[in-house]
Amino acid sequence: MIEKNLVIIGGGPAGLAAAVAAVDEGERDILILERDAVLGGILNQCIHNGFGLHTFKEELTGPEYSARYVRQVEERKIEAKLDTMVIDLSKERVVTAINETDGLIQIQAKAVILAMGCRERPRGALNIPGARPAGIFSAGTAQRFVNIEGYMPGREIVILGSGDIGLIMARRLTLEGAKVRMVCEIMPYSGGLKRNIVQCLDDYGIPLRLSHTVTKIHGKDRVEGVSVAAVDENRLPIPGTEEFVPCDTLLLSVGLIPENELSRKAGVAISQKTQGAVVDESLETSVPGIFAAGNVLHVHDLVDHVSTEAELAGKNAVRFIRGLDKGPAVVMVETGFGVRYTVPSTIHPAAATSITTIRFRTDNVYKDAYLTVLLDGERVQHLKKRILTPGEMEEVLIPAKWLLTRPGLQKITIRVDKE
Amino acid sequence: MSEKKELTCIGCPMGCQMEVTMENGVIRSISGATCKKGEIYAAKEVVDPRRIITSIIPVDGGIYAMAPVKTATDIPKDAIRRCMECLKTIRVGAPVSIGQVIVADLGGTGVALIATRDIPKR
């Protein structure tokens, strides 16, 4: 069995940033395992601009953003095995992987960082009636076909779901000559960024139909059209509002799910809300020495945040390898009104850095509301927010002094207050 | 001559619906914005809307069929169609390197088209 101090599963933005940070923390014995033939992950197909405003203070395309991290990985001579699929992970941190040159390999790691990213929710999860004709794609699959392989998925397109990938693809396909008839969103608001709605839909006159969904897919061999209907407040189609929209292609942009099959095999506790691991302030999961960062932990809107989160996981994995003790005290992070989840969900005050970032999403759109932080019921922060929306990840910063000046602290509550 | 233009702010998730009143090409008033950032965006967007265009071009002999490209800076919004037509006529041979100038002046905009990814030879 091969022995490694740190094994990173996944060579996308999270894995690359974690690897760079681990080296900069002084660790040299690192291996990245990546199933694709190149590093960079999904960014390679995200050819649009808008990445890196936080990390690099300039606007980059996806391939440019990933190239900067790949260069940092190469400069540090970090070992990476490409075309390598990890098939098992044990709670003792034994990683089993396969590739064409090594065959089956097993690696005993002192620490593991999960950086596998997420995958798209498929048609099967939506139960849309109809046959199984050609012409139904997830938005990300279509993105790969167009941007990397150079194939158009179709000519007349309806997009279900207004997530950012769907919006970005509406523009891409329009620029490449397709007719995007509409984007349907079952919710009364879009989960995509406002900038994408304006620059991907409004710029090209593509209608966004809020509170609408696809109720049927027509066609046997190839998609011939879809039925679109308005939905009520319970998201159920309203009879009589159905309309036939001819198209040859349906793209689905209906949510992303962290890819945690390996985490589950290792016995990592998974949150029902994020579908990612439950972690503490160091991004360590319920299994000692196994850390998680990026979209495998919770789905992010901005890759910049993935990078900073993964750097934290990289640093903390190195501290674990060196035997850092986090101390016995644990503070719970509780979700109050309006907050769907938080990452992390526990904090060890003795191990917390000067500032602990708690990232979270709200469960609805709140305007002119307050973001409140309570320490065992004592209000320590009450910040006015003009808008909070589930589509944009929020964060609160917890200074270490809040924790250290309150020995015996039990819980931190994050909640939305109307006043 | 007075003219009204409607637009949605992209500054934050509020997405304020704004209305700009113009007279002979000069902004007279901006309504609907709830912060200064929105007014600044609206003032620029109605007078000179610009976008960076990203797309792909075919590569001969590369490990991938297509190379991603972008305009080096933003171009006028009304030049997008013309530039996309120009893009359809462009091919490039591998290797392509990130930052490489593919076309010095895309569609008469004076803006270069550059590659955004390394595509090594097959």
Side-chain angles (χ1 to χ4, degrees):
Chain A
M1 192 172 326
I2 306 165
E3 292 190 356
K4 282 279 167 197
N5 278 357
L6 176 58
V7 170
I8 297 171
I9 305 175
L16 297 175
V20 168
V23 171
D24 294 351
E25 197 70 9
E27 181 54 60
R28 295 297 325 170
D29 191 29
I30 302 172
L31 175 63
I32 300 172
L33 299 173
E34 167 56 46
R35 68 180 167 193
D36 202 349
V38 290
L39 294 173
I42 205 70
L43 286 174
N44 287 320
Q45 69 183 51
C46 301
I47 65 162
H48 54 281
N49 59 310
F51 302 91
L53 279 168
H54 297 268
T55 309
F56 299 112
K57 310 292 174 223
E58 58 182 305
E59 203 170 22
L60 302 171
T61 65
E64 291 172 315
Y65 186 95
S66 84
R68 294 205 179 185
Y69 277 93
V70 171
R71 198 183 312 137
Q72 292 182 48
V73 163
E74 287 169 354
E75 281 166 3
R76 287 164 181 75
K77 301 190 169 50
I78 301 169
E79 187 189 352
K81 282 186 185 293
L82 304 175
D83 287 314
T84 302
M85 185 76 187
V86 176
I87 55 171
D88 194 33
L89 172 67
S90 75
K91 67 177 191 302
E92 294 78 21
R93 300 182 300 276
V94 174
V95 182
T96 307
I98 45 172
N99 66 30
E100 284 192 358
T101 40
D102 301 318
L104 183 87
I105 48 173
Q106 285 204 303
I107 309 151
Q108 172 67 61
K110 286 188 182 152
V112 171
I113 297 175
L114 306 171
M116 294 90 79
C118 59
R119 66 163 74 117
E120 297 178 278
R121 181 168 287 132
R123 177 191 175 187
L126 303 177
N127 297 323
I128 308 171
R132 301 188 57 181
I136 306 168
F137 300 90
S138 65
T141 303
Q143 190 179 44
R144 182 174 173 101
F145 279 146
V146 177
N147 291 347
I148 302 218
E149 322 279 350
Y151 296 115
M152 286 290 278
R155 290 191 178 85
E156 307 230 331
I157 294 156
V158 169
I159 300 177
L160 175 59
S162 64
D164 285 309
I165 314 172
L167 300 176
I168 292 287
M169 283 312 293
R171 176 175 64 186
R172 275 300 293 139
L173 292 163
T174 304
L175 284 173
E176 294 297 336
K179 171 75 188 164
V180 178
R181 297 208 166 276
M182 63 177 70
V183 175
C184 296
E185 170 60 59
I186 195 166
M187 301 298 286
Y189 52 85
S190 166
L193 300 175
K194 194 59 78 179
R195 168 184 150 128
N196 285 338
I197 294 184
V198 171
Q199 297 194 346
C200 299
L201 301 186
D202 298 355
D203 271 8
Y204 300 94
I206 300 166
L208 172 60
R209 305 278 288 270
L210 296 173
S211 298
H212 277 73
T213 193
V214 170
T215 53
K216 189 173 181 181
I217 300 169
H218 302 267
K220 185 165 171 290
D221 296 322
R222 177 82 202 186
V223 173
E224 289 165 9
V226 293
S227 294
V228 169
V231 298
D232 62 19
E233 63 276 16
N234 298 315
R235 286 184 253 159
L236 294 172
I238 301 167
T241 63
E242 279 194 1
E243 154 194 13
F244 178 79
V245 181
C247 62
D248 58 26
T249 302
L250 174 67
L251 293 197
L252 303 175
S253 179
V254 289
L256 300 166
I257 306 160
E259 195 165 344
N260 274 299
E261 284 77 2
L262 289 171
S263 325
R264 287 194 175 89
K265 284 187 175 182
V268 166
I270 302 292
S271 156
Q272 286 304 306
K273 287 177 178 168
T274 59
Q275 295 299 313
V278 176
V279 294
D280 66 11
E281 80 294 335
S282 71
L283 305 183
E284 190 175 11
T285 67
S286 63
V287 178
I290 300 184
F291 296 77
N295 282 352
V296 77
L297 179 56
H298 57 141
V299 175
H300 293 62
D301 332 310
L302 297 178
V303 71
D304 302 71
H305 292 159
V306 168
S307 299
T308 35
E309 186 175 273
E311 283 162 18
L312 183 66
K315 280 182 195 158
N316 283 314
V318 176
R319 292 165 96 190
F320 174 85
I321 292 165
R322 291 184 187 147
L324 174 99
D325 183 11
K326 293 186 207 171
V330 181
V331 179
M332 305 299 294
V333 182
E334 184 188 62
T335 57
F337 175 81
V339 176
R340 202 162 67 81
Y341 74 83
T342 66
V343 171
S345 49
T346 54
I347 297 177
H348 297 83
T353 44
S354 57
I355 301 276
T356 301
T357 304
I358 298 180
R359 297 199 163 90
F360 65 95
R361 284 184 197 276
T362 58
D363 59 9
N364 209 330
V365 177
Y366 299 98
K367 287 192 175 176
D368 292 320
Y370 292 83
L371 207 51
T372 303
V373 180
L374 307 158
L375 301 179
D376 278 346
E378 178 201 347
R379 195 168 91 179
V380 290
Q381 197 180 86
H382 189 62
L383 267 183
K384 174 116 193 241
K385 297 293 260 186
R386 297 183 64 222
I387 187 162
L388 294 160
T389 152
E392 308 230 355
M393 192 183 285
E394 294 289 335
E395 61 182 38
V396 293
L397 306 175
I398 307 291
K401 67 169 193 280
W402 284 2
L403 308 170
L404 298 173
T405 55
R406 289 175 178 79
L409 180 67
Q410 299 281 312
K411 70 177 182 200
I412 299 173
T413 309
I414 318 276
R415 73 172 188 223
V416 176
D417 285 341
K418 298 275 172 66
E419 55 187 32
Chain B
M1 194 189 81
S2 172
E3 185 191 1
K4 284 185 194 300
K5 284 187 182 173
E6 286 184 3
L7 67 165
T8 309
C9 184
I10 64 166
C12 85
M14 289 287 286
C16 293
Q17 290 299 318
M18 305 183 291
E19 192 178 75
V20 182
T21 309
M22 316 249 314
E23 229 168 278
N24 302 318
V26 179
I27 296 170
R28 284 287 163 225
S29 69
I30 299 172
S31 64
T34 53
C35 77
K36 192 76 197 158
K37 211 159 96 180
E39 288 182 15
I40 294 168
Y41 166 76
K44 183 169 190 310
E45 183 69 11
V46 292
V47 175
D48 182 24
R50 299 178 81 92
R51 302 284 187 267
I52 286 175
I53 288 299
T54 65
S55 189
I56 44 165
I57 54 170
V59 187
D60 296 317
I63 61 164
Y64 295 112
M66 312 304 286
V69 291
K70 70 173 183 183
T71 52
T73 59
D74 47 17
I75 61 167
K77 201 173 141 185
D78 58 19
I80 292 175
R81 282 277 158 208
R82 193 170 79 237
C83 288
M84 284 306 295
E85 287 305 313
C86 290
L87 267 172
K88 287 183 185 153
T89 65
I90 301 169
R91 290 189 80 87
V92 69
V96 175
S97 50
I98 190 167
Q100 180 183 330
V101 174
I102 306 291
V103 177
D105 176 2
L106 183 67
T109 55
V111 174
L113 184 73
I114 59 176
T116 56
R117 187 184 185 185
D118 289 334
I119 307 281
K121 273 189 183 168
R122 189 165 47 222

